[in-house]
Structures are given as C-alpha cells and as structure tokens.
C-alpha cells in the first residue's frame, strides 16, 4: 500500500549538492540475538473482508480480552477479532455519505468503544465516532484551510497512517505522525512540523518535530516522497518518541515535552552509503531515475518498541541491483534488533517485500507480529500473522 503515484512523479530538483550518508559502523557490529518464528495466527476472512489492511490496532477491554482490529476498505469498516480465539466479534461500518459519512478513512485510534478517532484523508481531519459508526465531532488537522487551496501543504503535514505509523495515545493527547511530500526549500525546513498533537479534552491541535536539517536541508535532492516518510513509535518506559527516517542510519529521539533531538546510531551492519540524486537546478529527474534510486538504495523504515522485551525493531528495505528489470517489491526486508539503549543486538532477514505486508507489524506479549502474504491463497480466505521472538544467536 505505497503511494505509487508519488514515486513516479518527476519534479524539478534543486541543485547539484549530493548527500553522502555513510554507515560508519558497516561490518563492525557483532550480533548476539536474532528473530525466529514462534507461532502463526490465521484469522478467517469472509468474501467482504480483505487481507493486507493498511491499518490495525490491538485493543484490550476491561476484563483483559485482546482484540485485533483492522480497517477493511472493502466496506469502509473496522473489523474486530478476538486475538486469542481468532473469531470475528464485531464490525463497525462507516457510511460514505452525510451526516455520518467518512469519505476516505485511512487510520483510526480506538480509545474506547464510545471514542473512536478515524482519520479522513478527504478532509484532512480526525472524526470522533462511536461503536455504532455515528459521527460525534470533526477535528481539522489543517486549521480548516480549503483542501483546494495548495497553501496548506506548506504549513501542515500530510498523513498516510499505517500500523507501523500509528496514532498514539499519551497523556490525554493523540500523537499523529505525518510528513512533507515535496522538495524542501531550506526556508521551509526550519518551520515545518510533521507531528500533530491533538488534545483529547479540547480537541485543539498543535504541532512539533521538524525534519533534521543535516539530512533534508542543504539543497539535497530527495525527490521521492517515500524518502521523506517519517516512521515513529513511543517508548512508554522513557516517555520518548523515536523517529526513523528512510535515508538515515541514525535514529532521532524526541522528548515529549521539549523541542530538538538526541541522535543515536540505529543502523544495519550491512547497509551502504545512502546518496541523494545529483541533478542541476534546471534539470528534471526522470521516473526511471527515481525508481532506480529507490530500488538500489538501502532504505530504513518502521521503528517499533517492544515493551514486553524492552527492545526496538527497525526495518530496512535492502538495496538490490535493478538490472533494468527488478521491481521494488522484490527488495529484501531486514529487521535490526536493538536494546532499550539502542545497542545493536543483531538483525534478521525476513524475505522479499512482496511476501510480507511489513507495514502491518505490531507487538504482543507473544512477540513481533508481521502479516505474511500467502500468494497461493488467491481467494484470500485468511489474514496470516507470523509471530517472531528474540532468541540468543547460536
């Protein structure tokens, strides 16, 4: 579920400055841990429910029952399964028409069954609903600027929520990570914030967290919007947000109550130097150049904190030669393991992107859940989660 239309857009690049982001620890890290398959969970799907959901959330009720919920775009609904029995227990269907309409839902956060916040991409808004699908309030995320007015994209983030870019609840607030899509002028990088903070009491919205200038400033041409994605997760033990940018071997740590970052190494033992595109200011970057760079470059993605084991998992989409034929879905996916202090513990190869919906990954007490795509299941009879646990390297 990648915004492919953006990958293929050719924009005007800024200048010939080329970023060379080196991995100074390549080949020097010593692994002690790895991920191994622990169990598999199959959730049966009916003819109106699709696998590969773009967004899911684990929810626990007052008696401790765990529910695996995910958004089903076949019928504009949130499906709820008992995580342990794997039986579907509820489906919340949203209309697309007023007054309870949500035209383009793309993510949600279930605070409780009377407070379900749904992101409506068509309106750049969070919509407060209940378990019956009724709309209770609308919260603008772009200060109610008209969508057709292009000025809003220079002031407010755009959002593409996925399981690995969750809407996070903390201290009576929701934290919602977005991104900037286009080429950064240096004047904008000093002003643009990509994290929305939504008060659960007042529904007022504020913004924080800027792109690191040393990566995205200086006129560097990161043409592809996928290179400006921001992956984030909350360390509930330390009350810090951890950000993973695709083109940085480092991780950026943000205190919830302060501005600025602490930077720590969070890279792969195998990743090579990551370079931006070199083009003169008046030149255009071709579609093929954008795709080739994406396929042939090591690019980081999701960062997930495992509160049960106090470790981080960071995903990487490994570089591969294009040879004029290779598809981005053939890129190998790796997972780096770090302890809570970001010490490297090891990394595990998952497989090809096309076999894993890695964007639908989350943690339970059993381990790291990742959706597996059984390509022989042409009727999509089940959503398959493979669960991995951390073990000592033999």
């Amino acid at each position: 579920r990648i915004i492919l239309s953006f990958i293929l857009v050719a924009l005007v690049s800024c200048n010939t400055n080329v970023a060379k982001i080196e991995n100074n620890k390549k080949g020097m890290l010593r692994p002690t841990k790895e991920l191994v398959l622990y169990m598999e969970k199959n959730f049966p799907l009916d003819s109106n429910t699709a696998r590969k959901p773009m967004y899911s959330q684990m929810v626990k009720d007052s008696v401790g029952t765990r529910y695996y919920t995910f958004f089903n775009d076949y019928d504009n609904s949130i499906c709820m399964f008992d995580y342990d029995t794997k039986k579907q227990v509820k489906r919340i269907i949203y209309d697309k028409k007023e007054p309870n309409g949500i035209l383009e839902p793309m993510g949600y956060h279930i605070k409780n069954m009377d407070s379900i916040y749904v992101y409506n991409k068509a309106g750049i808004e969070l919509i407060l609903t209940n378990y019956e699908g009724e709309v209770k309030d609308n919260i603008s995320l772009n200060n109610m600027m008209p969508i057709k007015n292009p000025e809003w994209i220079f002031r407010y983030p755009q959002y593409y929520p996925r399981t690995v870019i969750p809407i996070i609840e903390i201290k009576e607030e929701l934290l919602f990570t977005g991104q900037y899509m286009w080429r950064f002028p240096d004047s904008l990088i000093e002003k643009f914030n990509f994290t929305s903070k939504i008060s659960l009491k007042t529904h007022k919205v504020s913004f924080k967290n800027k792109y690191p200038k040393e990566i995205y400033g200086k006129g560097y041409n990161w043409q592809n919007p996928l290179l400006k994605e921001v992956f984030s997760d909350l360390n509930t033990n330390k009350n810090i947000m951890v950000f993973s940018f695709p083109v940085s071997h480092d991780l950026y740590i943000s205190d919830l109550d302060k501005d600025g970052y602490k930077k720590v190494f969070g890279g792969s033992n195998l990743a090579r130097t990551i370079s931006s595109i070199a083009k003169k200011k008046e030149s255009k970057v071709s579609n093929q150049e954008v795709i080739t760079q994406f396929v042939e470059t090591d690019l980081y993605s999701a960062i997930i904190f495992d509160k049960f084991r106090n470790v981080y998992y960071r995903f990487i989409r490994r570089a591969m030669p294009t040879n004029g034929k290779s598809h981005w879905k053939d890129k190998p996916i790796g997972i780096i393991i770090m302890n809570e202090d970001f010490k490297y513990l090891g990394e595990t190869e998952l497989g090809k992107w096309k076999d894993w919906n890695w964007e639908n990954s989350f943690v339970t007490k059993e381990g790291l859940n990742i959706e597996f795509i059984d390509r022989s299941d042409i009727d999509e009879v089940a959503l398959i989660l493979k669960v991995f646990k951390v073990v000592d390297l033999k």
Side-chain angles (χ1 to χ4, degrees):
R1 308 291 185 111
I2 294 294
I3 315 173
L4 291 177
S5 58
F6 285 123
I7 296 181
L8 302 177
V9 171
L11 306 173
V12 178
S13 62
C14 43
N15 54 40
T16 55
N17 287 352
V18 178
K20 294 285 186 181
I21 302 176
E22 297 181 357
N23 182 0
N24 295 322
K25 296 189 178 182
K26 181 178 182 295
M28 300 170 58
L29 302 168
R30 296 293 174 259
T32 58
K33 306 281 187 182
E34 64 176 338
L35 286 168
V36 298
L37 182 63
Y38 173 59
M39 63 186 300
E40 181 178 301
K41 299 185 78 71
N42 292 358
F43 297 87
L45 304 177
D46 59 30
S47 59
N48 293 317
T49 310
R51 64 185 181 185
K52 295 198 294 185
M54 71 168 61
Y55 198 93
S56 67
Q57 180 189 353
M58 285 293 296
V59 179
K60 185 184 291 187
D61 66 16
S62 59
V63 297
T65 302
R66 297 182 297 170
Y67 299 100
Y68 176 54
T69 75
F70 60 84
F71 184 75
N72 176 40
D73 54 13
Y74 271 25
D75 61 0
N76 235 38
S77 70
I78 295 176
C79 299
M80 301 184 67
F81 286 78
D82 185 306
Y83 180 79
D84 295 299
T85 67
K86 300 181 288 294
K87 293 181 179 179
Q88 184 169 324
V89 296
K90 189 171 182 58
R91 186 189 297 259
I92 304 170
I93 299 177
Y94 294 100
D95 293 332
K96 286 196 173 183
K97 297 180 180 179
E98 299 291 348
N100 290 314
I102 303 179
L103 183 60
E104 198 174 354
M106 288 187 67
Y108 60 89
H109 176 75
I110 301 176
K111 178 176 175 60
N112 54 56
M113 294 307 289
D114 275 327
S115 297
I116 302 173
Y117 293 82
V118 181
Y119 174 61
N120 177 30
K121 182 177 182 291
I124 317 298
E125 62 185 348
L126 277 180
I127 299 180
L128 176 60
T129 73
N130 61 19
Y131 68 96
E132 295 178 338
E134 298 173 334
V135 172
K136 301 167 70 175
D137 198 6
N138 297 67
I139 308 167
S140 174
L141 298 177
N142 71 342
N143 199 27
M144 301 185 71
M145 290 185 68
I147 303 302
K148 293 183 179 180
N149 180 353
E151 285 298 313
W152 76 267
I153 67 174
F154 301 108
R155 302 183 189 181
Y156 303 102
Q158 296 182 58
Y159 305 90
Y160 190 61
R162 280 150 283 169
T163 309
V164 294
I165 308 180
I167 302 172
I168 297 171
E169 181 180 347
I170 180 70
K171 294 182 178 179
E172 293 300 315
E173 286 185 325
L174 295 180
L175 303 178
F176 193 7
T177 301
Q179 71 170 99
Y180 186 79
M181 292 289 183
W182 314 111
R183 178 176 61 83
F184 262 126
D186 280 0
S187 59
L188 185 61
I189 203 169
E190 300 279 1
K191 303 174 183 178
F192 188 86
N193 293 286
F194 54 73
T195 301
S196 300
K197 300 174 65 179
I198 301 99
S199 169
L200 291 171
K201 292 182 178 179
T202 66
H203 287 175
K204 290 184 177 180
V205 182
S206 59
F207 301 89
K208 69 171 297 186
N209 299 123
K210 295 177 174 61
Y211 279 91
K213 189 173 182 179
E214 68 269 22
I215 304 174
Y216 291 100
K218 302 181 181 180
Y220 296 146
N221 182 8
W222 301 110
Q223 170 137 331
N224 190 336
L226 294 177
L227 305 185
K228 294 187 283 291
E229 285 186 299
V230 186
F231 296 89
S232 62
D233 203 5
L234 174 72
N235 181 325
T236 51
N237 295 338
K238 296 185 176 182
N239 266 5
I240 55 173
M241 285 286 284
V242 183
F243 294 101
S244 171
F245 298 96
V247 298
S248 178
H249 304 287
D250 296 322
L251 293 165
Y252 286 75
I253 317 304
S254 172
D255 188 297
L256 291 178
D257 302 315
K258 300 177 183 178
D259 291 326
Y261 295 110
K262 174 185 175 183
K263 186 169 67 173
V264 298
F265 179 79
S268 165
N269 197 37
L270 307 174
R272 299 174 295 185
T273 298
I274 300 171
S275 301
S276 60
I277 292 177
K279 278 284 183 176
K280 293 182 179 180
K281 183 177 181 180
E282 65 274 11
S283 301
K284 287 187 176 180
V285 181
S286 70
N287 295 344
Q288 189 56 53
E289 285 176 294
V290 171
I291 295 170
T292 297
Q293 184 204 31
F294 186 79
V295 174
E296 293 186 347
T297 304
D298 290 302
L299 297 171
Y300 296 93
S301 58
I303 181 73
I304 299 175
F305 177 64
D306 184 339
K307 65 181 181 181
F308 299 99
R309 282 154 283 270
N310 290 332
V311 298
Y312 290 97
Y313 309 111
R314 192 185 192 191
F315 287 66
I316 182 171
R317 298 159 287 187
R318 300 217 186 270
M320 61 179 293
T322 57
N323 299 322
K325 299 178 181 179
S326 299
H327 192 275
W328 56 272
K329 278 284 189 177
D330 289 320
K331 283 175 75 77
I333 303 297
I335 304 173
I336 304 155
I337 313 165
M338 293 166 280
N339 71 10
E340 196 172 12
D341 296 319
F342 302 101
K343 178 184 176 183
Y344 178 88
L345 299 178
E347 51 195 298
T348 297
E349 300 307 303
L350 188 62
K352 291 185 177 181
W353 187 332
K354 62 186 176 184
D355 295 323
W356 296 89
N357 183 21
W358 58 266
E359 292 167 296
N360 185 24
S361 299
F362 58 95
V363 168
T364 60
K365 65 182 181 181
E366 290 82 0
L368 175 63
N369 294 244
I370 309 173
E371 184 181 0
F372 174 73
I373 307 303
D374 181 358
R375 286 185 283 159
S376 67
D377 179 17
I378 57 175
D379 294 323
E380 299 191 5
V381 299
L383 187 156
I384 302 171
L385 295 176
K386 292 197 181 265
V387 185
F388 295 83
K389 64 179 181 178
V390 179
V391 299
D392 292 333
L393 193 62
K394 296 180 180 179

